[in-house]
Amino acid sequence: MNTDIEKLIDKYYKGETSLDEEKLLRDTLPSEEIKDEHTYDQLLFKTFQEEKEEQAPSSTKVFFQTINKPHKFIFSHKRMLYLTSGITACLIFVIGIIFYQLEQKNAAYVMINGVRINDKKLAVELVNENLYRVSTMIDRGLEPLNKAERMEKKLDSILKISNESFQK
Amino acid sequence: MLIAVVSLFFTNALQAQSAQLDSIFEQYSEKRSFTYVYASGAARLHEYLPDHRIANQINSVKFTKILTYERNRNDTIAKRLVSKVKNVLNSEKFELYLKLKDDDDIVEAYQKTYTSSKDVVLLISDDSDVIIIWLHGK
């Protein structure tokens, strides 16, 4: 047996071998003629060599091949049907919202005693009638204020005229 | 589906308005002795409300809701309605910008501005009716 190999074995058990040296041990020791004291070591490295050479079971290989394979999107009829029906449903939903909004924009109705009357003309008439009523009330309420404003304007013009005549 | 949900969210977000006030209008619209009017689109505000204090508060009206109750039927209901509406207007921080009192006639005008819209609420009370007018626009 090569003395270098013996030295390497010692180094290995001390944990001082490099990866290349371990590879050398794995490759050469199983086939070397060895002393009896190194029978165990030869067996150990033989096992390491065998483990290295052992192939992964086919099922594992298939599994890794499958997960590493780039995903291809296949347009099957079923998938196309799901996709188109999904898009159609979304479109119907969006169009429905738009129509609902438009209808709300043009809607006008009246509810008397909890009974709904879909009469746009009546609704508009009632809106205008109520606004007119409020307007009248506001006009009446603001009349004193308007009078005061008018008086203030008149007073201003009187003061202006008197100032002008005084200057003359 | 995501697009649909997002569009729904945006359409609702654009229609900011008082939900509490809406609930009062909905609730009383179904009761007896109440008249409720809903009209979307522009009300002829500047024609009927020539006073700039009201008409200029809101430009393009998106909808008008009017709730009317004949006071002489039951004064307690009328008072309760006015109190409910005032509570909502206070809690939602509406600004009172006009108040007129002439004998039994009372007109109160409130407003609230949102980011892209505005609410104007007119509370009218006279010896015969209680009228609540809600104008929503910009």
Side-chain angles (χ1 to χ4, degrees), chain A residues 154-168:
Chain A
K154 276 179 187 169
L155 201 66
D156 276 350
S157 54
I158 291 167
L159 280 170
K160 205 177 166 186
I161 293 164
S162 62
N163 277 342
E164 279 171 5
S165 59
F166 182 73
Q167 278 172 356
K168 280 175 187 174

Coordinates of all heavy atoms in Angstrom, one line a residue, chain A residues 154-168:
Chain A
K154 N -79.7 103.6 -2.0 CA -80.3 105.0 -2.2 C -79.5 106.0 -1.4 O -79.2 107.1 -1.8 CB -81.7 104.9 -1.8 CG -82.6 104.5 -2.9 CD -84.1 104.4 -2.4 CE -84.9 103.8 -3.5 NZ -86.3 103.5 -3.0
L155 N -79.2 105.6 -0.2 CA -78.4 106.5 0.7 C -77.1 106.8 0.2 O -76.6 108.0 0.2 CB -78.3 105.8 2.1 CG -78.0 106.6 3.3 CD1 -79.2 107.5 3.6 CD2 -77.7 105.8 4.5
D156 N -76.5 105.8 -0.4 CA -75.1 106.0 -1.1 C -75.2 107.1 -2.2 O -74.4 108.0 -2.3 CB -74.6 104.7 -1.7 CG -73.9 103.9 -0.6 OD1 -73.7 104.4 0.5 OD2 -73.6 102.7 -0.9
S157 N -76.3 106.9 -3.0 CA -76.4 107.9 -4.1 C -76.8 109.3 -3.6 O -76.3 110.3 -4.2 CB -77.5 107.4 -5.1 OG -78.7 107.1 -4.5
I158 N -77.6 109.4 -2.5 CA -77.9 110.7 -1.9 C -76.6 111.3 -1.4 O -76.3 112.5 -1.7 CB -78.9 110.5 -0.8 CG1 -80.3 110.1 -1.4 CG2 -79.1 111.8 0.0 CD1 -81.3 109.7 -0.4
L159 N -75.8 110.5 -0.7 CA -74.5 111.0 -0.2 C -73.6 111.5 -1.3 O -72.9 112.5 -1.1 CB -73.8 110.0 0.7 CG -74.4 109.7 2.1 CD1 -73.8 108.5 2.7 CD2 -74.1 111.0 2.9
K160 N -73.6 110.8 -2.4 CA -72.7 111.1 -3.5 C -73.2 112.5 -4.1 O -72.3 113.3 -4.3 CB -72.9 110.0 -4.6 CG -71.7 109.9 -5.5 CD -71.9 108.8 -6.5 CE -70.9 108.9 -7.6 NZ -71.2 107.9 -8.6
I161 N -74.5 112.6 -4.3 CA -75.0 113.9 -4.9 C -74.7 115.1 -3.9 O -74.2 116.1 -4.4 CB -76.5 113.8 -5.1 CG1 -76.8 112.7 -6.2 CG2 -77.1 115.1 -5.5 CD1 -78.2 112.3 -6.3
S162 N -74.9 114.9 -2.6 CA -74.7 115.9 -1.7 C -73.2 116.3 -1.6 O -72.9 117.5 -1.5 CB -75.2 115.6 -0.3 OG -74.6 114.5 0.2
N163 N -72.3 115.3 -1.7 CA -70.9 115.6 -1.7 C -70.5 116.4 -2.9 O -69.7 117.3 -2.8 CB -70.1 114.3 -1.7 CG -70.0 113.7 -0.3 OD1 -70.1 114.4 0.7 ND2 -69.7 112.4 -0.2
E164 N -71.1 116.0 -4.1 CA -70.8 116.7 -5.3 C -71.2 118.2 -5.3 O -70.5 119.1 -5.6 CB -71.5 116.0 -6.5 CG -70.7 114.8 -7.0 CD -71.5 114.0 -8.0 OE1 -72.6 114.4 -8.4 OE2 -70.9 112.9 -8.4
S165 N -72.4 118.4 -4.7 CA -73.0 119.8 -4.6 C -72.2 120.6 -3.6 O -72.0 121.8 -3.8 CB -74.5 119.8 -4.3 OG -74.6 119.1 -3.1
F166 N -71.7 119.9 -2.6 CA -70.9 120.6 -1.5 C -69.6 121.1 -2.1 O -69.1 122.2 -1.8 CB -70.7 119.7 -0.4 CG -69.9 120.3 0.8 CD1 -70.5 121.2 1.6 CD2 -68.6 119.9 1.0 CE1 -69.7 121.8 2.7 CE2 -67.9 120.4 2.0 CZ -68.4 121.4 2.9
Q167 N -69.0 120.2 -3.0 CA -67.7 120.6 -3.6 C -67.8 121.8 -4.5 O -66.9 122.6 -4.7 CB -67.1 119.4 -4.3 CG -66.4 118.4 -3.4 CD -66.0 117.1 -4.1 OE1 -66.4 116.9 -5.2 NE2 -65.4 116.2 -3.3
K168 N -69.0 121.9 -5.2 CA -69.2 123.0 -6.1 C -69.3 124.3 -5.4 O -68.9 125.3 -5.7 CB -70.5 122.7 -6.9 CG -70.3 121.8 -8.1 CD -71.6 121.5 -8.8 CE -71.4 120.4 -9.8 NZ -72.7 120.0 -10.4

